[in-house]
Amino acid sequence: MNPGADAERKMQFLFALRSHGVTDPRVLTAMEEVDRAPFIKGLFSERAYEDMPLPIACGQTISQPSVVGIMTQALKLQPRDKVLEIGTGSGYQAAILAKLARRVYTVDRYRRLVREARVHFEALDLHNITAMTSDGTRGLPDQAPFDKILVTAAAEDPPGPLLAQLAVGGIMVLPVGQSDAVQSLIKVTRHDTGYDYEELLPVRFVPLLEGLGQE
């Protein structure tokens, strides 16, 4: 691809993000720095700059960039934050989080996805990410509390273990819904006395499942 066409695609990509409500300058810069294309293999790699979800290995998907941007923006990440991501997938979302936070822990139920994501993190020189195969519904109690938690799979309700691992003053962003047809992206803020819930937008994510995946 020639540099002019590449720059044009990058401009269109950022314009699409802004038009969907991604306005935080730090989030936009991180998404400009982390190229989505290497995270997508095969026939779909040429569609990396389109605002659409795309299939990846293990029957999973890479979310559309505007949803990645909105979820990241809703976390209100600070440079000293410790973040937990449930659902590593391609590793694209974790790479963006790593540009904005001090430390990112990301877990996935599929060993293959974690293995491939680590290769991307190494290529991008992102050494503040710890990726591991684990049951995401349980979180990572050994590393809790987390300033921010991001869940990239839908549960019927915010899982209790994840709520418990959120620091007071912390934010969790996750899709909730009883079917893959009706889901809402919600933002949970923890206070001394409980949790506040805010609905952000309708979304569609794969279901959050217990246990490790069979490959």
Side-chain angles (χ1 to χ4, degrees):
M1 177 169 293
N2 69 64
D6 201 27
E8 177 68 22
R9 286 175 82 177
K10 196 63 98 36
M11 278 177 60
Q12 289 175 351
F13 179 77
L14 291 170
F15 178 77
L17 292 176
R18 289 193 189 94
S19 67
H20 282 90
V22 183
T23 55
D24 185 316
R26 290 179 65 235
V27 174
L28 288 167
T29 298
M31 294 188 72
E32 186 175 10
E33 289 175 355
V34 179
D35 189 355
R36 190 175 181 237
F39 293 89
I40 302 164
K41 293 193 174 75
L43 295 172
F44 294 100
S45 58
E46 63 193 40
R47 308 188 76 171
Y49 299 103
E50 295 179 28
D51 192 42
M52 62 188 299
L54 294 168
I56 58 171
C58 303
Q60 304 301 294
T61 56
I62 180 171
S63 297
Q64 66 194 79
S66 61
V67 172
V68 170
I70 286 166
M71 292 178 82
T72 305
Q73 181 172 271
L75 287 173
K76 298 188 181 298
L77 291 161
Q78 301 301 314
R80 301 298 302 163
D81 279 349
K82 180 168 73 169
V83 184
L84 172 63
E85 180 193 34
I86 305 299
T88 308
S90 68
Y92 176 65
Q93 173 76 76
I96 290 164
L97 296 174
K99 292 279 187 181
L100 300 165
R102 175 177 61 88
R103 187 89 213 153
V104 176
Y105 292 86
T106 181
V107 303
D108 202 286
R109 64 199 301 266
Y110 292 104
R111 285 185 176 81
R112 175 183 172 181
L113 294 180
V114 171
R115 213 166 41 236
E116 292 178 359
R118 284 177 181 153
V119 173
H120 292 306
F121 302 151
E122 192 68 32
L124 289 166
D125 207 26
L126 294 171
H127 301 295
N128 60 334
I129 305 176
T130 301
M132 60 190 85
T133 308
S134 178
D135 179 350
T137 63
R138 299 180 182 179
L140 280 180
D142 292 351
Q143 297 297 335
F146 295 94
D147 302 298
K148 307 289 161 64
I149 298 177
L150 184 68
V151 185
T152 62
E156 285 190 25
D157 297 294
L162 301 185
L163 289 171
Q165 290 169 36
L166 187 62
V168 173
I171 294 170
M172 175 161 63
V173 174
L174 75 162
V176 295
Q178 296 186 341
S179 72
D180 64 356
V182 183
Q183 297 173 2
S184 290
L185 188 67
I186 66 166
K187 174 181 172 180
V188 183
T189 306
R190 183 171 189 178
H191 303 290
D192 288 320
T193 54
Y195 302 88
D196 280 346
Y197 298 84
E198 178 188 348
E199 203 167 307
L200 301 178
L201 74 159
V203 288
R204 286 189 73 173
F205 278 84
V206 296
L208 181 66
L209 301 173
E210 292 185 8
L212 300 183
Q214 299 298 313
E215 298 179 42

